[in-house]
Amino acid sequence: RVRDEFFSTLKAFDTNYVDLLQFHWPVTDIYVETWKEIIKLQQEGYVKTIGVANCNIHNLETLYNETGVMPSLNQFECHPLFTQKELVDYCNEHGIQIEAYTPIARADTRMTRLPLMKRMAEKYKKTIVQIVIRWHIQNGRIPIVGARHKKNQMADLDVFDFNLTDDELKAIDAININSRLRYDPDNCDFSIL
């Protein structure tokens, strides 16, 4: 139903194209067919850029092997507690833009209570959340942050007046404890999503 849903959405938005179309999960048995439909929509001029979400390396390789088209973007969980270095490296090597979701690790205390993070926040006169957002940006990732209150939304945008050092970037990378906070696409009941 990719085409039907897509054209219904175009009509609802009163437009004739979208800048980015991506699927949300590599749902077993249908994600390759979904990808093929997305490719067709791009070839027909209805979509400028095509991407995926929650795809691991094996999913990306399957998509490419089946279609010859690599996604331009992959949105997946990535934060200091779960850096997904292998997947990040793979995406970078293949020119796939990374969009990080849950980018601030839901402000998990295993990250926010670290003296390292507190020192950086004090040094730059920023919050720990701002430090983490900056870490993503300097690593070339697009962090998808969400805040309910305008004050926090404005703070999330106030991250372009400082740069973390290479050593600080590496220190944040080293926080990784492989702690996934959201669903694992390889072990997920897609019927609940």
Side-chain angles (χ1 to χ4, degrees):
R1 295 179 19 226
V2 173
R3 293 183 75 80
D4 290 343
E5 293 296 325
F6 177 77
F7 286 112
S8 175
T9 301
L10 276 188
K11 185 176 179 182
F13 286 141
D14 193 26
T15 187
N16 58 2
Y17 79 96
V18 295
D19 291 318
L20 171 66
L21 180 63
Q22 63 191 99
F23 67 68
H24 196 193
W25 291 99
V27 178
T28 311
D29 299 330
I30 66 166
Y31 79 97
V32 172
E33 292 307 312
T34 299
W35 184 239
K36 288 177 182 178
E37 288 299 319
I38 289 173
I39 291 168
K40 285 180 194 171
L41 290 167
Q42 183 185 39
Q43 291 169 341
E44 294 166 4
Y46 294 109
V47 179
K48 287 189 177 182
T49 304
I50 56 176
V52 296
N54 301 299
C55 282
N56 288 318
I57 293 170
H58 67 90
N59 302 120
L60 296 168
E61 289 178 342
T62 296
L63 292 175
Y64 183 76
N65 291 337
E66 292 286 328
T67 66
V69 178
M70 191 65 87
S72 295
L73 177 139
N74 187 12
Q75 179 190 103
F76 56 89
E77 181 176 352
C78 183
H79 48 76
L81 298 176
F82 190 57
T83 59
Q84 299 215 66
K85 181 171 175 23
E86 262 187 79
L87 181 54
V88 165
D89 289 347
Y90 182 90
C91 288
N92 288 335
E93 289 165 14
H94 290 85
I96 301 170
Q97 176 64 56
I98 298 166
E99 206 173 51
Y101 84 81
T102 315
I104 59 170
R106 296 179 168 236
D108 192 299
T109 57
R110 293 174 295 172
M111 177 187 69
T112 59
R113 66 179 163 80
L114 293 173
L116 164 77
M117 298 304 287
K118 290 178 181 178
R119 281 194 306 273
M120 279 190 241
E122 288 172 16
K123 174 182 174 182
Y124 293 106
K125 296 180 178 31
K126 297 291 180 181
T127 67
I128 290 172
V129 167
Q130 288 171 313
I131 297 296
V132 174
I133 292 171
R134 187 67 201 167
W135 168 75
H136 281 291
I137 290 168
Q138 283 185 236
N139 279 298
R141 295 186 292 266
I142 302 168
I144 306 279
V145 292
R148 291 186 183 128
H149 304 290
K150 184 169 182 149
K151 176 182 154 197
N152 293 339
Q153 293 168 357
M154 298 308 291
D156 289 348
L157 295 171
D158 187 22
V159 295
F160 296 99
D161 58 349
F162 72 103
N163 283 303
L164 299 169
T165 67
D166 288 343
D167 287 341
E168 289 167 337
L169 293 171
K170 289 175 188 168
I172 296 172
D173 289 342
I175 293 170
N176 182 52
I177 56 173
N178 290 320
S179 180
R180 184 184 291 277
L181 302 177
R182 302 295 294 150
Y183 304 107
D184 177 355
D186 285 342
N187 299 295
C188 183
D189 178 359
F190 293 115
S191 69
I192 65 169
L193 300 178

